[in-house]
Amino acid sequence: MVKENAVVAVVLNYLPTAVNYVLAVAYIIVLTRYIPLTQYGYYNALFAIINSIGALIPIPGVTNAIAREGAIEYARGGDAKPYFAAMVFMSLVMAVIYGLIIALATPIYLSNGIPGWLLGTVYIYIGAVFAQSVAGALGLYLWLLGRVASQGMGSTLNMLVMRVFQVLLIVVMRNVYALALSVLLGSLAQLLYYLGIVRGFADPRAGIDVVRGRARYLLEFGFQSWILGYMGTLSFNLLTYLVYIYLGPGYTGIYGLATAIASAVTALGPAVSTVMNSRISQGLGSGIDVGRTFRDYAIPSFIAAALLAQLIVLALPTLPIIGIINGEYVGVIPYASVLLGYTPLAVIVSIYTSYYWVIGRGWHALIANIAGLGLGVLAYMIFHQLGIYMAITSNYLIYAFALLIYWLNERWSVRSMNVLAIGLSLALTIISSCAQPIQDPPITWPLTQLITITALLIILYVIKPLPKSLVNQVPGFTKRLIAPFTRVDG
């Protein structure tokens, strides 16, 4: 059985986000200089509709269920190839369905005021859907083998190619078609990389027996994964669409860029979940303590999210000064700052949701996520007169309510040191993000942010919430950095 270092795997699965934001400096500069805010707003609204429609197509749901079953079988010494073929078969079927629905939904786009000249981006995206679907099946095959670091490298290549071509094409084309074309090129690069790593392609017909023989099981777990996997995407798309309806394309562009900045942190959740789920799936086959495995991933991830969010808030006001954000887009700074406060909640809810699914408690996770999403969207619809800050508040409500339900399911003790570390980390992150002033000049920045970061480090030093197992998986120079925050008892 192939084993790749867990921390390296998490890093490589988060690396696409890191690459994204390193290259996003150049991307945001050219975006804010060459593409009008209103045009960018229409583009965000269009793809909010498309992605909401995509939530009805269970492409990743069924393939994730097949991968979970394959990982358990592989851990027991079985053959993973039939599951690979089954994933390819289902990905192709679902991609065809999704592509047709996207094309046929043109009247919906036009009826929502999307300009007709933007519809070409839809057809470019259909090509990306096919490439992403097949690449997804190949990546999940690596996942079930435990090769999550290799899987992460494919995602990194996708992001690298996409961002480089975004910058180049924006300068040349100066419209949002550059964004659509770069998504297609990134997806093709990832597909070619996985084909080279896997060194072969499964015959889709060889997977039909797996799908037919486990249809009931795959539909149950696939349905759970499908819905759960789209909760975060669906909440973003629904709120983006509502901002477009209530506030227009200008604010939609601002909200889209603010959420793009916040996703530098929220992407940590899926990166960790990808690695954690591979370990837990194989652990279900080999009999390890999956609850402890979950805690060893979840607690450090939440703390890392809190620190990362505060560092980004600290940096935000410098972006217009050094010319990274320009023109009308400068108005995004205060909104992005406040939005970053919810990101640790999104990370831990994402990890908890993945954990519940993989251990067979997906219906509990589904209830928590649907309840949170319903509360947040309903609150914005009722109080949308409060403006874009209400849309941001809805993000807090969505994930705080979902986490509350997990809290009740797990019966956490408020006296637990881990709960204390999580609670204080969240409180300091919210203080840091909401203290960012809306008016000029910045009165509280950067003093408040420096105080909260320092306070968080002191709290982590006293509580020491990091598991000893983490120290054993990081490079030597990093061990000295995290050792003061690590439990001696493991």
Side-chain angles (χ1 to χ4, degrees):
M1 182 182 298
V2 178
K3 284 289 184 182
E4 296 177 334
N5 183 280
V7 172
V8 173
V10 170
V11 170
L12 287 175
N13 276 275
Y14 182 71
L15 193 57
T17 299
V19 170
N20 179 10
Y21 282 89
V22 170
L23 295 175
V25 173
Y27 163 68
I28 292 175
I29 290 173
V30 297
L31 172 72
T32 57
R33 287 184 179 178
Y34 297 127
I35 296 182
L37 178 62
T38 299
Q39 184 183 132
Y40 182 62
Y42 277 125
Y43 180 81
N44 276 284
L46 171 61
F47 279 87
I49 298 170
I50 290 174
N51 291 325
S52 296
I53 293 172
L56 304 175
I57 313 299
I59 294 177
V62 177
T63 51
N64 284 345
I66 296 171
R68 176 186 181 274
E69 181 77 358
I72 295 173
E73 181 67 21
Y74 181 67
R76 293 171 178 166
D79 185 10
K81 289 294 179 65
Y83 297 93
F84 179 28
M87 288 186 292
V88 173
F89 172 73
M90 291 305 301
S91 293
L92 290 173
V93 170
M94 295 299 173
V96 170
I97 296 172
Y98 188 18
L100 287 173
I101 291 177
I102 291 174
L104 294 173
T106 299
I108 297 177
Y109 314 142
L110 296 174
S111 66
N112 279 277
I114 303 298
W117 66 267
L118 264 180
L119 297 183
T121 61
V122 175
Y123 303 107
I124 295 171
Y125 182 66
I126 291 174
V129 166
F130 278 88
Q132 288 171 357
S133 297
V134 179
L138 292 163
L140 280 173
Y141 178 56
L142 293 170
W143 178 88
L144 74 84
L145 297 177
R147 298 179 62 184
V148 282
S150 298
Q151 182 190 21
M153 277 301 300
S155 299
T156 301
L157 181 62
N158 182 335
M159 186 60 66
L160 180 63
V161 171
M162 184 191 75
R163 279 300 192 208
V164 169
F165 275 99
Q166 272 183 339
V167 172
L168 295 175
L169 291 173
I170 287 174
V171 172
V172 173
M173 301 176 69
R174 304 197 178 191
N175 61 53
V176 291
Y177 273 82
L179 308 184
L181 285 170
S182 60
V183 170
L184 173 60
L185 293 171
S187 300
L188 290 172
Q190 183 180 17
L191 174 58
L192 292 174
Y193 172 79
Y194 282 154
L195 286 172
I197 290 292
V198 174
R199 296 181 181 177
F201 194 74
D203 182 353
R205 295 171 297 180
I208 295 176
D209 288 340
V210 171
V211 175
R212 185 188 297 122
R214 304 299 305 275
R216 182 174 179 180
Y217 164 85
L218 294 176
L219 284 174
E220 179 181 358
F221 273 85
F223 178 80
Q224 293 173 8
S225 177
W226 163 36
I227 298 297
L228 293 173
Y230 273 111
M231 280 293 111
T233 303
L234 188 60
S235 64
F236 164 72
N237 289 317
L238 285 176
L239 287 174
T240 300
Y241 176 71
L242 290 174
V243 169
Y244 172 69
I245 293 298
Y246 293 132
L247 302 177
Y251 274 108
T252 306
I254 288 177
Y255 182 73
L257 186 55
T259 53
I261 292 171
S263 68
V265 182
T266 58
L268 185 62
V272 172
S273 298
T274 297
V275 180
M276 179 188 72
N277 284 357
S278 178
R279 297 289 188 265
I280 291 177
S281 294
Q282 293 186 355
L284 292 173
S286 57
I288 68 170
D289 181 358
V290 296
R292 178 168 184 149
T293 301
F294 163 74
R295 291 189 295 274
D296 285 352
Y297 281 97
I299 296 167
S301 300
F302 187 92
I303 292 168
L307 279 170
L308 182 57
Q310 291 183 47
L311 289 171
I312 295 174
V313 168
L314 181 63
L316 277 177
T318 67
L319 300 184
I321 296 172
I322 60 180
I324 293 178
I325 294 181
N326 301 280
E328 296 176 282
Y329 289 87
V330 172
V332 78
I333 298 296
Y335 303 116
S337 179
V338 178
L339 187 62
L340 280 160
Y342 96 98
T343 54
L345 287 171
V347 167
I348 197 167
V349 167
S350 173
I351 295 172
Y352 241 119
T353 297
S354 296
Y355 171 66
Y356 265 46
W357 175 77
V358 82
I359 64 172
R361 298 183 64 189
W363 295 117
H364 293 85
L366 187 59
I367 291 171
N369 280 268
I370 289 177
L373 178 60
L375 175 64
V377 171
L378 180 63
Y380 182 56
M381 292 177 70
I382 294 174
F383 300 108
H384 65 270
Q385 295 90 346
L386 299 177
I388 196 170
Y389 276 119
M390 189 60 219
I392 292 171
T393 301
S394 294
N395 284 279
Y396 282 84
L397 293 174
I398 288 169
Y399 291 99
F401 194 61
L403 186 60
L404 175 62
I405 295 175
Y406 283 128
W407 182 307
L408 297 175
N409 284 336
E410 297 295 314
R411 298 181 180 178
W412 297 337
S413 170
V414 293
R415 298 178 182 178
S416 165
M417 297 303 285
N418 287 333
V419 172
L420 180 61
I422 288 173
L424 291 174
S425 299
L426 177 62
L428 289 169
T429 304
I430 294 175
I431 291 170
S432 174
S433 65
C434 293
Q436 190 72 265
I438 299 174
Q439 302 87 5
D440 289 326
I443 299 170
T444 62
W445 179 86
L447 182 60
T448 302
Q449 288 70 35
L450 292 174
I451 290 173
T452 59
I453 292 171
T454 303
L456 179 55
L457 291 174
I458 293 172
I459 289 168
L460 297 179
Y461 179 79
V462 173
I463 296 178
K464 300 184 186 304
L466 301 182
K468 188 176 181 180
S469 60
L470 182 65
V471 179
N472 298 328
Q473 300 182 67
V474 298
F477 74 93
T478 312
K479 291 180 181 180
R480 292 190 293 273
L481 294 176
I482 68 171
F485 311 107
T486 305
R487 295 191 302 271
V488 177
D489 59 2

